[in-house]
Amino acid sequence: MLPPEPDLVRDIAEWLPRQRWFGGKDGPIHELAIGTATELHSGDPALHHLVLDVRRDGATDHYQLLLGVRRDLPDRLRHVEIGGHCGDRPARPRLYDAAHDPDLTRVLLDAMAREASVGPLRFHHAGGARIRTDLASLPMTAEQSNTSLLFGDEYICKLFRRLSPGVNLDLEVNLALTRGGCTHVPAVLGWIELDRGHGAPAGGEPVTLALLSDYLHTGVDGWSLAIASVRDWFAHTPPPGGDEWAELDASAAGGDFAAEAERLGAATAEVHRALADAFGVTVVPAAEVRAMAARMNTELTGTCRTVPALAPHAKALTEAYLDLAARAEPLPVQRVHGDYHLGQVLRTESGWTVLDFEGEPARTQSERRALAHPLRDVAGMLRSFEYAARYLITKAGTVPSESGPRLETRAHAWAARNRAAFCRGYAAGGGPDPAAHSVLIRAFEFEKAVYEVRYEAQNRPAWLAVPLKSLAHLTA
């Protein structure tokens, strides 16, 4: 049995701001209410699903919580307890975040397998999917805005902590690609949704609560593989008697990444074709392209005011945007990934897999759903190669500081080699050839670099040198 609602609300309001997936750490919670409370499992332990309505600064956000209730809380769950255990109230139930309790998370698998309906909650499985219900779960530690549960080495279940109106982009896109037979995304097995009108965020569609997919346990993320390659290249010693060009031949190191970069480019092109088949392609007029270039220049002007270190590059960036506007012509646009980088891809035994189609978290739902030219994703990946090339230089203590100028030369060589390989693979895989759209891809990449400069200045000042140094090379 749950405690009285005032006590429950007080305990959750005190606990919530300490969770890393809570998006309101920059200000106080003015009001917290329980939008829905649904019992999913009775007894000891019990499981309740809550939707929390959190009001801050006049706006209301919605979060989901799997609330566990036990008479006695085992040590393994005390780190996720909600509210302290009061010695003068020994009969009070112990509350905790049940996403960490494998005894209760099996309830989710069972409900999806049965396609159950419990109150406003609807559980689904994809057509033809058979879901095992005997697997224990383990929360992943790397998540920030969501919580992902690993069920054995079979499934991964992403719980969307902060809820948005309508179908979550990750579910919408992955389900469409799964149904279309795309082999470069994890197959969707099931999902959970909340009926509209039952304490859910406003909107005309059910709200996505969770997504269950195949877990690619043999996969290694692209960022880790790229960093290993850069490390190997930095450690490589050219043969005696070599000339200055040896510092630019990134293929000489044993951990060359270019072949993988080329395969990743081809896989990206296949995903873009699958997205076009699933959601269609629209052509926007040249006037919209000119308006897009103007928006890019406005963002540049604003960023130069807040980050003066960008100003030396402003002339070259403005010229790129003006060039795009001058050459504007009707442009095909479609659904794209929206937040594409090396951390969003996995290399598995069967090839590259693309993850997380939610778009940039800081943008609104409508902005993340906006159509774009597929080369915007390509530009995002090209920027990611620049970051990977310079990560070890930026990370304090990773390399000797006196080696900085030499390593910057090597970083540029590594990035250039892998950028070219990725673009080559993308064009060979059927995507629009970046070399044939140099004006467009250059504008997209500069737009992304301006965003990086603004982000790093606000959040990671020590990283500001990464986009600035890469811009120095790209605008030279």
Side-chain angles (χ1 to χ4, degrees):
M1 176 182 290
L2 292 177
E5 185 164 322
D7 294 343
L8 178 60
V9 167
R10 183 193 63 238
D11 287 345
I12 293 176
E14 192 276 332
W15 169 83
L16 188 61
R18 301 197 302 270
Q19 309 316 301
R20 60 178 165 182
W21 42 262
F22 179 63
K25 298 183 181 66
D26 57 342
I29 294 175
H30 295 119
E31 183 180 355
L32 187 147
I34 297 175
T36 67
T38 307
E39 185 178 68
L40 296 177
H41 186 266
S42 60
D44 186 10
L47 176 63
H48 298 258
H49 181 276
L50 305 185
V51 174
L52 309 175
D53 302 336
V54 181
R55 190 175 66 83
R56 299 173 57 255
D57 299 326
T60 300
D61 293 324
H62 307 270
Y63 292 85
Q64 72 165 316
L65 171 63
L66 295 176
L67 183 68
V69 185
R70 286 178 178 263
R71 188 184 309 277
D72 297 303
L73 197 64
D75 290 342
R76 62 183 173 84
L77 294 172
R78 290 196 176 168
H79 69 291
V80 290
E81 184 171 10
I82 299 173
H85 181 55
C86 300
D88 60 342
R89 287 186 291 172
R92 173 176 170 164
R94 308 291 289 273
L95 309 177
Y96 60 99
D97 183 357
H100 296 257
D101 188 352
D103 294 338
L104 291 177
T105 53
R106 286 192 186 94
V107 172
L108 305 180
L109 291 183
D110 179 71
M112 281 186 275
R114 294 185 294 107
E115 295 210 300
S117 293
V118 186
L121 304 185
R122 304 288 176 261
F123 297 82
H124 302 275
H125 64 71
R130 293 185 176 181
I131 299 175
R132 290 181 57 183
T133 60
D134 60 339
L135 300 172
S137 67
L138 180 69
M140 295 183 70
T141 58
E143 290 283 0
Q144 296 294 327
S145 57
N146 304 307
T147 298
S148 287
L149 306 177
L150 297 183
F151 286 93
D153 61 357
E154 298 280 334
Y155 312 139
I156 183 167
C157 183
K158 181 187 290 187
L159 299 172
F160 301 106
R161 293 289 197 165
R162 187 175 181 177
L163 304 179
S164 300
V167 178
N168 184 276
L169 271 173
D170 212 17
L171 170 62
E172 180 184 12
V173 174
N174 274 296
L175 187 58
L177 295 181
T178 297
R179 288 170 172 167
C182 181
T183 59
H184 293 293
V185 295
V188 173
L189 302 173
W191 66 96
I192 308 171
E193 63 188 19
L194 178 71
D195 269 357
R196 60 185 180 273
H198 289 84
E205 298 178 287
V207 174
T208 307
L209 300 175
L211 169 61
L212 185 73
S213 305
D214 276 337
Y215 175 54
L216 306 174
H217 61 277
T218 64
V220 181
D221 68 273
W223 176 260
S224 298
L225 292 173
I227 294 303
S229 172
V230 175
R231 183 179 288 109
D232 184 77
W233 168 230
F234 283 177
H236 173 69
T237 302
D243 56 26
E244 61 179 318
W245 296 105
E247 294 291 342
L248 301 178
D249 185 10
S251 67
D256 187 21
F257 189 70
E260 288 297 345
E262 188 168 349
R263 282 188 281 268
L264 176 59
T268 303
E270 290 183 39
V271 170
H272 280 159
R273 285 203 309 276
L275 286 168
D277 290 343
F279 297 101
V281 177
T282 300
V283 177
V284 298
E288 175 55 33
V289 179
R290 288 190 288 271
M292 177 178 69
R295 290 192 296 271
M296 292 176 178
N297 204 54
T298 299
E299 291 180 5
L300 168 64
T301 302
T303 304
C304 284
R305 283 198 297 265
T306 57
V307 190
L310 179 61
H313 306 293
K315 183 175 183 294
L317 271 60
T318 296
E319 288 175 353
Y321 301 151
L322 292 174
D323 197 14
L324 175 63
R327 299 169 185 250
E329 56 186 27
L331 194 69
V333 293
Q334 62 170 78
R335 294 289 283 273
V336 297
H337 185 282
D339 188 24
Y340 203 46
H341 55 77
L342 286 163
Q344 303 281 42
V345 293
L346 287 180
R347 182 62 167 90
T348 70
E349 295 171 344
S350 59
W352 284 101
T353 298
V354 180
L355 310 174
D356 295 335
F357 286 84
E358 290 185 79
E360 292 178 336
R363 298 193 181 275
T364 66
Q365 190 84 336
S366 61
E367 288 173 328
R368 285 183 273 165
R369 288 182 181 276
L371 305 181
H373 193 279
L375 286 181
R376 187 182 290 276
D377 277 350
V378 172
M381 187 58 71
L382 296 183
R383 297 301 310 153
S384 193
F385 283 122
E386 295 286 339
Y387 264 68
R390 292 169 176 82
Y391 170 77
L392 296 177
I393 302 174
T394 305
K395 188 178 179 182
T398 302
V399 295
S401 58
E402 62 269 22
S403 301
R406 167 181 163 271
L407 291 183
E408 176 59 32
T409 298
R410 287 196 164 198
H412 176 61
W414 186 93
R417 175 172 173 77
N418 288 282
R419 285 161 56 96
F422 178 84
C423 290
R424 187 166 58 248
Y426 185 76
D433 187 356
H437 298 79
S438 58
V439 172
L440 182 61
I441 192 79
R442 187 172 179 82
F444 281 151
E445 189 172 358
F446 284 172
E447 178 192 32
K448 186 70 172 180
V450 170
Y451 167 83
E452 292 165 359
V453 167
R454 184 170 64 251
Y455 178 88
E456 303 299 8
Q458 294 173 349
N459 298 280
R460 299 186 299 188
W463 284 70
L464 183 58
V466 175
L468 290 176
K469 285 185 177 180
S470 70
L471 277 173
H473 284 294
L474 295 174
T475 59

